Amino acid sequence: MRPLRLAVMLEQAVEVGGGFQQPLNDLLWLRHWAAKSGNEIVVYSPYPKTLEILKEFGVAARLRKFGVLDYLFLFLKYCGPFDLVQIALKLKSPFERALIRDGIDVVHFTSTSKRHLLLSELPFIITIFDGCHRDAPEFPEVRTFGEFERREILFGLASTKAAVVIVNAPELVDDLTRRYAMERDRAVCIPFSPSTYISQSTPDAEADAAALAKYWLEPGYLFYPAQFWPHKNHMTLLAALALLRERGITERLVLCGSDRGGRDKINAAIRSYGLSDQISIIGFVESAELGAFYRGAPALVMPSYFGPTNLPPLEAWAVGTPVIYPEAFKAQAGDAAILFDYDNPRSLADAIVGLRAEGMRERLRAAGELRLAQFAEETAAGRQQFAQHMARLKNRLALMPR
């Protein structure tokens, strides 16, 4: 039986942060799976910068941009009736035709890509990170200008048509089964794992100090790496710092990430609260520098509304940094974080103060290390389950003309 040829799509730009780092992790273990199972992977990305980054890991990738006709196909697919025309004329998108010319058998989307709608012949695997447009539809980034409806189309078709659906938490399997009638046995749960850059990062006092010095920083700040979306909930964190200041407690805060439309409101709130001397906003930080920023912080503080899982807590645990995290995501954190109510600035302020309790940081570091070990076991089991799915898929595709 000839090798299965799997296309691995990296469609998120590096500036997306965790949305890039986790697909990179997936690619690296898929490379290991392919070598072990005697199959092949072909890596594609629309971003030249991603191709350059992949070279650092010894991965040769192909540039695959999406043309006008591909976008036209997508638009018509969203409109619905185009399906009948496509079936009658047996039309394939330029995207799919290119993959078929490359000898691809299966397409693996490492994010919840709309481009699975461009596939009419090739089977695909899809990764679904969350269902937050259903969990918190009040946020504009998942609601306005048809975004909610677009996601419903994507999630509904992806979770029911995909040969395998990869999720990072058991709760997502339950949600997708309930909301979209996904077949439960098609889901594979593979938890998030720390960014490759973090897991390969080693403490180096001189290098860490140099990374911080680029931004005029010194250790001892609270750290929140997140793009500036409304759902990232920077506002509750700012309100908590203002409450602490009223108690005579001054905490420094470092924010990093790309602006997604929320930065102006955050800047105004910082001025209103009188926190300008406590807060540094340093924009997008290169992946290789993130380890230094985590190590320089007494804690990661993450008040995001979106879950049920997030990447920064795992990265903080990986370098021994304590975590302050919403109680809504306790299933991910376990006992390895100080939990708070993400709608209540006072609750977050109390959590930050709780970090100073005797022995708390040491307890959280130990608990974080244990939590990572638990996730590593679950990840190994999930990857084994994925390999079994792929073996069955390979056998079935061998029965079909290719």
Side-chain angles (χ1 to χ4, degrees):
M1 188 181 302
R2 72 174 178 83
L4 191 70
R5 197 166 170 85
L6 181 71
V8 181
M9 310 300 299
L10 268 66
E11 298 181 52
Q12 300 287 342
V14 65
E15 290 79 10
V16 173
F20 172 83
Q21 299 297 339
Q22 192 57 41
L24 176 60
N25 286 350
D26 292 341
L27 164 62
L28 296 179
W29 72 258
L30 284 168
R31 178 174 62 175
H32 176 73
W33 161 79
K36 185 177 180 180
S37 62
N39 294 301
E40 301 174 2
I41 64 170
V42 183
V43 184
Y44 299 90
S45 175
Y47 300 107
K49 185 174 180 179
T50 297
L51 270 59
E52 292 301 315
I53 292 172
L54 293 179
K55 287 179 182 179
E56 300 174 12
F57 297 92
V59 176
R62 304 182 184 187
L63 189 67
R64 175 61 63 202
K65 292 183 177 292
F66 304 100
V68 173
L69 282 179
D70 288 318
Y71 286 109
L72 178 61
F73 263 73
L74 282 175
F75 173 77
L76 293 173
K77 289 290 286 188
Y78 283 129
C79 293
F82 176 66
D83 288 346
L84 299 177
V85 176
Q86 188 175 15
I87 291 169
L89 300 179
K90 296 184 178 180
L91 296 175
K92 296 187 183 72
S93 67
F95 172 68
E96 184 170 38
R97 292 200 305 269
L99 294 178
I100 291 173
R101 286 196 301 270
D102 286 348
I104 297 302
D105 299 305
V106 183
V107 183
H108 188 311
F109 294 103
T110 57
S111 57
T112 313
S113 172
K114 58 182 175 289
R115 291 177 178 89
H116 74 80
L117 297 174
L118 294 174
L119 302 180
S120 60
E121 180 176 322
L122 292 174
F124 66 91
I125 297 161
I126 196 82
T127 303
I128 298 181
F129 292 136
D130 59 54
C132 291
H133 70 291
R134 285 286 197 99
D135 299 334
E138 61 272 22
F139 286 101
E141 51 265 45
V142 296
R143 175 177 52 83
T144 56
F145 299 109
E147 181 63 20
F148 183 94
E149 291 78 8
R150 185 187 73 83
R151 291 190 181 215
E152 280 295 283
I153 293 170
L154 291 182
F155 281 60
L157 285 175
S159 59
T160 54
K161 188 179 180 182
V164 180
V165 179
I166 296 179
V167 299
N168 56 75
E171 303 97 298
L172 282 176
V173 178
D174 296 337
D175 288 346
L176 294 171
T177 302
R178 184 181 74 256
R179 292 169 177 172
Y180 306 110
M182 180 187 72
E183 296 296 333
R184 185 174 290 271
D185 61 1
R186 289 191 181 182
V188 174
C189 186
I190 302 176
F192 282 156
S193 52
S195 159
T196 301
Y197 289 96
I198 300 295
S199 60
Q200 293 180 354
S201 173
T202 56
D204 183 324
E206 185 175 341
D208 286 358
L212 299 187
K214 286 174 57 177
Y215 302 92
W216 305 95
L217 297 175
E218 295 181 357
Y221 48 81
L222 300 174
F223 185 46
Y224 185 22
Q227 298 186 77
F228 292 94
W229 294 107
H231 76 264
K232 293 298 185 180
N233 199 20
H234 293 84
M235 303 300 288
T236 292
L237 179 51
L238 299 180
L241 293 184
L243 288 172
L244 289 175
R245 192 164 186 169
E246 291 175 4
R247 302 184 200 177
I249 301 171
T250 301
E251 292 282 359
R252 289 187 294 129
L253 172 66
V254 171
L255 304 174
C256 72
S258 304
D259 184 10
R260 298 292 175 168
R263 177 74 179 269
D264 288 344
K265 187 172 183 179
I266 290 167
N267 288 339
I270 290 172
R271 292 191 297 270
S272 176
Y273 285 126
L275 296 172
S276 299
D277 59 336
Q278 295 175 225
I279 298 176
S280 299
I281 301 179
I282 59 176
F284 176 74
V285 172
E286 293 295 332
S287 302
E289 296 178 333
L290 272 175
F293 283 93
Y294 278 110
R295 282 188 290 269
L300 164 75
V301 182
M302 186 166 194
S304 175
Y305 281 111
F306 282 8
T309 57
N310 287 285
L311 188 58
L314 288 92
E315 296 180 331
W317 292 330
V319 301
T321 298
V323 173
I324 300 174
Y325 201 44
E327 60 190 6
F329 309 140
K330 184 177 181 179
Q332 181 187 20
D335 64 351
I338 300 176
L339 302 177
F340 66 95
D341 178 356
Y342 50 25
D343 283 312
N344 188 339
R346 192 170 301 278
S347 174
L348 177 50
D350 291 342
I352 293 171
V353 172
L355 187 68
R356 300 183 176 190
E358 184 177 355
M360 178 60 74
R361 292 180 183 175
E362 291 72 19
R363 184 193 73 76
L364 290 174
R365 289 190 186 101
E369 186 175 344
L370 179 60
R371 197 76 180 113
L372 276 182
Q374 293 168 343
F375 281 130
E377 292 179 2
E378 294 175 17
T379 295
R383 290 175 178 175
Q384 179 61 36
Q385 186 183 2
F386 172 85
Q388 294 168 356
H389 274 278
M390 294 304 294
R392 285 195 290 269
L393 184 57
K394 182 178 181 178
N395 288 335
R396 295 174 187 185
L397 291 178
L399 303 175
M400 307 172 196
R402 286 191 284 171

